[in-house]
Amino acid sequence: MKIRKHHSWVLTVEEAIALQEKLTKEVITADQIPQPVRYVAGVDMGFESAGTISRAAVAVLSFPALQLQEYAIARRPTSFPYIPGLLSFREIPALLDALEKINTTPDLILCDGQGIAHPRRLGIASHLGLILDMPTIGVAKSLLVGKHQEVPNIKGSWQPIIHRKETIGAALRTRVGTKPVYISSGHRVSLPTAIDYVLQCTPKYRLPETTRIADKLSKSDD
């Protein structure tokens, strides 16, 4: 997959925040997804050597069958500190390395992390979507900002996540008896469409097959 030119990753914390505030104005939360969707990808991160090495994984699955078609793993030295709200600057460089290795270009990418459900509305899914100019969805395991009401214990039930009087995502029940996941638009995907695709990618477990497989790849020996 060809990665277009992007901004520098050598930034101070203040520069990173300023860049987020600039880029968030470019995020599109309306549907601009190529049809038909034939391939969906999941991306996730792991770290080795006490966090000094970033290990990125991408898994490309057929859609809607969700069969693994291709995967790639990339490692590089970690160059940005762990700071909540700025994780994309720590993780995206290695993710771009992994994405560059795959031959199958996905139509949609599900990221382990936030989209616009972020203090500055630019989580890793939105940031990655802007760089790639591709549809992305944030699928996080925990809530970063905002509040929501209790989600009924029924698969497919969801409640809006509200932050500063704005709906920024959804707490979605993907499996009965498990905690919800936190869905938000990344780039070029609306929230209702994001929920729909996440449910289609989650036939059995709490996490979508895309990010579940990428999560295993990011942590297991290759």
Side-chain angles (χ1 to χ4, degrees), residues 43-47 53-57 74 78 90-92 94-95 112 124 214-215 218-219:
V43 296
D44 202 357
M45 288 292 301
F47 292 90
I53 301 296
S54 300
R55 172 179 170 137
T78 305
R90 180 178 171 88
E91 299 183 356
I92 285 181
L95 288 174
D112 178 49
I124 188 169
D215 175 73
S218 71
K219 296 176 174 62

Side-chain angles (χ1 to χ4, degrees), residues 138-160:
V139 186
K141 296 186 281 289
S142 59
L143 188 66
L144 180 60
V145 292
K147 295 181 180 180
H148 64 86
Q149 295 183 0
E150 182 68 25
V151 182
N153 193 25
I154 301 168
K155 179 171 180 173
S157 297
W158 64 276
Q159 290 288 343

Side-chain angles (χ1 to χ4, degrees), residues 163-212:
H163 183 239
R164 299 199 293 256
K165 299 182 180 180
E166 178 186 2
T167 297
I168 59 171
L172 173 66
R173 187 82 65 186
T174 54
R175 187 182 182 194
V176 173
T178 63
K179 294 179 180 178
V181 292
Y182 300 93
I183 310 303
S184 56
S185 302
H187 182 52
R188 292 173 49 184
V189 182
S190 69
L191 181 59
T193 298
I195 292 169
D196 179 54
Y197 275 107
V198 169
L199 285 171
Q200 289 189 68
C201 291
T202 316
K204 186 175 180 182
Y205 299 100
R206 178 190 177 216
L207 296 178
E209 289 299 286
T210 45
T211 45
R212 192 178 72 84

Side-chain angles (χ1 to χ4, degrees), residues 24-204:
T24 190
K25 298 170 186 174
E26 301 176 20
V27 173
I28 297 168
T29 55
D31 291 325
Q32 294 183 1
I33 306 173
Q35 297 294 331
V37 173
R38 295 180 297 170
Y39 298 104
V40 291
V43 296
D44 202 357
M45 288 292 301
F47 292 90
E48 301 173 346
S49 302
T52 61
I53 301 296
S54 300
R55 172 179 170 137
V58 54
V60 181
L61 281 61
S62 62
F63 185 85
L66 303 179
Q67 297 298 309
L68 181 64
Q69 303 295 299
E70 186 182 2
Y71 73 89
I73 294 170
R75 295 176 176 86
R76 69 152 56 197
T78 305
S79 59
F80 198 87
Y82 175 86
I83 301 173
L86 295 176
L87 295 186
S88 63
F89 295 93
R90 180 178 171 88
E91 299 183 356
I92 285 181
L95 288 174
L96 294 177
D97 291 346
L99 286 162
E100 218 163 18
K101 291 184 174 184
I102 61 172
N103 296 310
T104 307
T105 300
D107 302 297
L108 177 66
I109 299 177
L110 280 66
C111 303
D112 178 49
Q114 312 290 346
I116 66 166
H118 178 277
R120 289 172 291 280
R121 307 296 187 258
L122 198 88
I124 188 169
S126 298
H127 198 162
L128 184 64
L130 282 173
I131 289 171
L132 300 175
D133 192 24
M134 291 180 62
T136 55
I137 298 171
V139 186
K141 296 186 281 289
S142 59
L143 188 66
L144 180 60
V145 292
K147 295 181 180 180
H148 64 86
Q149 295 183 0
E150 182 68 25
V151 182
N153 193 25
I154 301 168
K155 179 171 180 173
S157 297
W158 64 276
Q159 290 288 343
I161 300 169
I162 308 296
H163 183 239
R164 299 199 293 256
K165 299 182 180 180
E166 178 186 2
T167 297
I168 59 171
L172 173 66
R173 187 82 65 186
T174 54
R175 187 182 182 194
V176 173
T178 63
K179 294 179 180 178
V181 292
Y182 300 93
I183 310 303
S184 56
S185 302
H187 182 52
R188 292 173 49 184
V189 182
S190 69
L191 181 59
T193 298
I195 292 169
D196 179 54
Y197 275 107
V198 169
L199 285 171
Q200 289 189 68
C201 291
T202 316
K204 186 175 180 182

